[in-house]
Amino acid sequence: MDEKFLKPYDPGATEVRVYNEWEKSGYFNPDTLPDADVKESFTVVLPPPNVTGVLHLGHAYEDSLQDSIIRFNRMRGKAALWIPGTDSAAIATQARVEKNIQKEEGKSRHDLGREELVRRVGEFAKESEETILSQVRRMGASLDWSRYAYTLDDTRNKAVFTAFKRMYDAGLIYRGNRIVNWDPKGQTTISDDEIVHEERTATLYTFKYSKDFPIPVATTRLETKVGDVAVAVHPDDARYKEFVGKTYDVVFCDVPLSIRIVADTEVDPEFGTGALGVTPAHSQIDWDIATRHDLPKDRIVINEYAKMTAQGRVSGLKVGDAREAVAQWLREEGLLLAEESISQNVSTAERTGGIIEPLPKLQWFVGVDTPFVIPYSEIPGIKSGDTVTLKEVMRAAVESGAVSMPQENFKKIYQHWITNLHDWCISRQIWFGHRIPVWYRGTEVVCQEEAPEGDGWTQDCDVLDTWFSSSLWTFSTLGWPEQTEDLKKFHPTSFMSPAYEILPLWVSRMILMSGFHLGQAPFKTVMIHGLVRDAKGRKFSKSLGNGIDPIEMIDKYGADALRMGLLAGAAVGSDIRFDESKVKGYKNFANKLWNIARYVLTETEGVDSTTPLTKADTALRSELNAILEDVAGDYENYRIHLAAEKMYHYAWHRLADEIIEDSKTVLAGEDIEATTSRKALLHGLLADVLLGLHPCMPFVTEEIWGSLKPNAPFLMISQWPPSSSVE
RNA sequence: GGGCGGUUAGCUCAGUUGGUAGAGCAUCUCAUUGACGUUGAGAGGGUCACAGGUUCGAAUCCUGUAUCGCCCACCA
């Protein structure tokens, strides 16, 4: 027996070495697995971590979860492929670097210029990429590094351009003047999903535009009223019926306005005065009303810096100050009828905290309700050549089960989200990311990668929303748009496990992109997982200072223990409270296994694998066989926590506490048949315990396996169910 | 405003199709040079949030209530 078993298990001395051996073996790459060409594939793409910093416990959990699934399927005889990658995360990364530069050098991005900033962000991204990848390795993740992808590398750039071009040609990507979410602080548009609603108290002002204006109007955004073109009332509202259709010319706060009274069913007669001042350029709902009634929409009174551009006394003021100025004017004129404090949800930018200013802007959009002819489709319910919308494709993919979501509640959330989906604004006014492949010269517009022939072409200065490239991920990582062997063999992928936070942001958009470009689901099963929280149930956050570095945990307890601490104890989908004492407990468990191994190795030296088992031992053998079968079902159905706990319980409280204790008596006895049978049994039971635990605790199980079966191939590629033979 | 969840032992959570409530940690008692003290044997501890209903039988299914939480949202 190896001397190392005389000391407690030492993860530090084991894990890095074992990982290197695995990596050297090439088995992380399914192409080099034994009998690779006849195996059914099982594919997972790693949700690419942002290159903004370091790995946190959420990543550690996600990695553990996916690795356990990948390892299980590899042991079940599948060509298991798990593709690593990282995400450039346009806004997040640029914002991080800009902040650093501002802090260290006191310079803004405009001081540096586009080229220099992009270079600096790229540099930063490269650094954090290296940090992150080394951390992922320490978790034991069996990723195929030969297929590593980065959202800004050449292959992915090509995929992004091709995807854009095809959708542009199909009329699904268009440029339009629309109300967008403008973040005055970050100086960019953001998507609906990057908005956080904050409840605040606001004042609801009730006022009249002028002394003889017939309808009082209520609003919280008094300053925008200098941009009004109409007042909308409900068509059935008896109070105002007689005024509908009339136009009133007023001078409001030094600004001449021409206000038409229109009737629109969107207006809630119960709210405020039942009349809505229509400001088309600064409110989505008003924009829509203006569209329906053919009102002018070009009356812009607020600029990108949230300052007033209107003439008169509000000119140049910040919106907040302008609001007060208008209120003051109304008071002076005796037009302010009421002030009431109400609670209101304010839209703020997730990234910068800036208050969103709705502004009409020329932006790029993906039209989710635009009909197109889908050239090819494998998704049940949608036939090749059908005329459909992206929304319909997204809905059908999940309804038909092409994408299965075993967690019913998330399916409901998804469908509900689709229902409320608007066109997706994909342009961002930042510099780091995929630049929009569109060129302008006068009124000419061309979509292509490089500048067209001739002089005078300028490229669109915006870059794409980071989710545009991430949503191609399941197939861009497999070499698309080339029709690669990988794409044929490994797509649709098998399994995807994102946090529920990004179900709409990412999952649904992968379904959109994969549906349009390949006519396929991006993955067969989605298991949404929960968030890792601290012991008190709070989110980990920088401001709370409650962050835990997974690497610190690994140094202290080993990766196996950390993985078990995250996987056991909570079902996939519910939040996890991270508890260090739990991790410590699983470190003890790794040591327990180590000592089981020590006992078994000592007692079973030179054991003969062909020894027939006694009746009693056969029963013990069948007991574990049944458990392994049960546990396999748990892994199969993503009940990792149950698999982990069952194996834990068997190893410690059945094998160690009872069977080994009992064996001490048996082995001390004179009965040769009983002792040889028992030795073979113990050897076999330990081997299978290692097998059942390997997906969750890969390192310690592999290490023991190496001593238990010195001539066998890696445990990592051992097959399940096992043949139960002794080497 | 719309949607979706949670509520089970002191704590963290399991409980797959309804069949006498489980684990880990914590607590208490006992054991001891035994593969392992990172140990072993045992104990206490729960009206499964509440109220109705379906059923021979409900933590599990249905209805309602309370409470905590999450997601979505263009009520000015």
Side-chain angles (χ1 to χ4, degrees), chain A residues 40 91 133 157 160 179 184 310 315 346 409 464 551 593 596 603 625 634 638 641 643 680:
Chain A
E40 188 190 332
I91 290 184
L133 297 183
N157 281 340
V160 167
I179 299 280
S315 180
V346 177
N409 52 330
L464 287 167
I551 298 305
L593 285 174
I596 292 171
E603 296 297 328
N625 288 348
D634 288 334
Y638 310 108
H641 62 295

Side-chain angles (χ1 to χ4, degrees), chain A residues 79-305:
Chain A
L81 170 62
W82 190 18
I83 306 174
T86 46
D87 190 342
S88 53
I91 290 184
T93 312
Q94 180 174 324
R96 167 68 71 87
V97 174
E98 274 189 70
K99 208 167 156 192
N100 288 352
I101 293 173
Q102 185 70 46
K103 209 163 113 194
E104 283 156 25
E105 302 166 38
K107 287 182 181 165
S108 77
R109 67 163 133 156
H110 299 284
D111 296 330
L112 295 177
R114 183 164 193 148
E115 205 171 309
E116 174 63 8
L117 183 86
V118 168
R119 195 189 61 77
R120 300 273 283 266
V121 178
E123 224 168 62
F124 173 85
K126 191 76 206 154
E127 263 171 55
S128 44
E129 175 190 289
E130 275 163 31
T131 311
I132 287 167
L133 297 183
S134 75
Q135 291 176 323
V136 171
R137 280 181 158 87
R138 295 235 19 217
M139 288 301 300
S142 56
L143 289 152
D144 179 6
W145 296 102
S146 71
R147 286 179 167 91
Y148 173 76
Y150 174 52
T151 48
L152 281 175
D153 65 22
D154 290 345
T155 312
R156 266 44 69 175
N157 281 340
K158 179 132 195 256
V160 167
F161 167 71
T162 308
F164 188 98
K165 172 84 176 155
R166 290 189 187 173
M167 294 172 87
Y168 179 86
D169 290 344
L172 292 177
I173 286 183
Y174 65 91
R175 196 177 192 216
N177 220 340
R178 264 198 19 190
I179 299 280
V180 297
N181 308 305
W182 179 263
D183 172 12
K185 218 165 167 184
Q187 287 295 303
T188 182
T189 41
I190 59 173
S191 71
D192 293 349
D193 314 287
E194 293 165 298
I195 287 179
V196 182
H197 295 275
E198 273 177 37
E199 190 159 319
R200 301 202 182 157
T201 45
T203 308
L204 183 69
Y205 300 93
T206 305
F207 72 99
K208 281 181 168 183
Y209 291 98
S210 67
K211 290 206 166 56
D212 50 1
F213 196 82
I215 303 174
V217 167
T219 183
T220 54
R221 294 214 56 191
L222 215 38
E223 74 282 7
T224 65
K225 298 296 106 182
V226 295
D228 279 12
V229 297
V231 164
V233 298
H234 196 275
D236 301 335
D237 198 326
R239 292 171 292 179
Y240 308 129
K241 235 172 184 159
E242 55 177 303
F243 306 113
V244 172
K246 293 186 177 160
T247 301
Y248 297 82
D249 290 324
V250 299
V251 175
F252 180 80
C253 204
D254 307 344
V255 181
L257 300 178
S258 178
I259 307 282
R260 207 166 100 199
I261 314 297
V262 298
D264 196 287
T265 49
E266 278 297 293
V267 180
D268 177 4
E270 304 297 320
F271 186 90
T273 61
L276 165 68
V278 180
T279 325
H282 300 288
S283 152
Q284 180 67 52
I285 187 166
D286 295 9
W287 177 274
D288 295 342
I289 291 173
T291 307
R292 284 195 288 273
H293 297 91
D294 203 20
L295 298 161
K297 293 189 283 198
D298 52 359
R299 210 186 157 80
I300 294 167
V301 297
I302 298 169
N303 68 11
E304 285 87 346
Y305 301 96

Side-chain angles (χ1 to χ4, degrees), chain A residues 22 51 209 292 325 367 399 437 446 458 475 500 570 578 610 624 658:
Chain A
W22 284 332
V51 287
Y209 291 98
R292 284 195 288 273
E399 245 162 39
V446 176
T458 47
F475 50 97
Y500 53 67
F578 183 78
T610 57
L624 179 55
E658 291 168 4

Side-chain angles (χ1 to χ4, degrees), chain A residues 638-684:
Chain A
Y638 310 108
R639 295 187 295 252
I640 315 297
H641 62 295
L642 292 183
E645 281 158 28
K646 282 172 189 168
M647 290 312 300
Y648 171 91
H649 195 263
Y650 178 83
W652 198 318
H653 299 298
R654 184 74 181 128
L655 179 59
D657 290 346
E658 291 168 4
I659 298 174
I660 286 181
E661 287 307 316
D662 175 61
S663 300
K664 289 174 185 169
T665 321
V666 175
L667 295 181
E670 301 286 311
D671 186 339
I672 300 290
E673 196 194 333
T675 54
T676 52
S677 160
R678 182 52 64 108
K679 285 179 181 180
L681 173 77
L682 289 175
H683 199 277

Side-chain angles (χ1 to χ4, degrees), chain A residues 394 414 417-418 502-512:
Chain A
M394 293 165 88
Y414 174 85
W417 183 80
I418 302 275
I502 54 175
L503 175 70
L505 282 171
W506 193 39
V507 174
S508 56
R509 285 178 186 154
M510 285 193 281
I511 296 174
L512 181 158

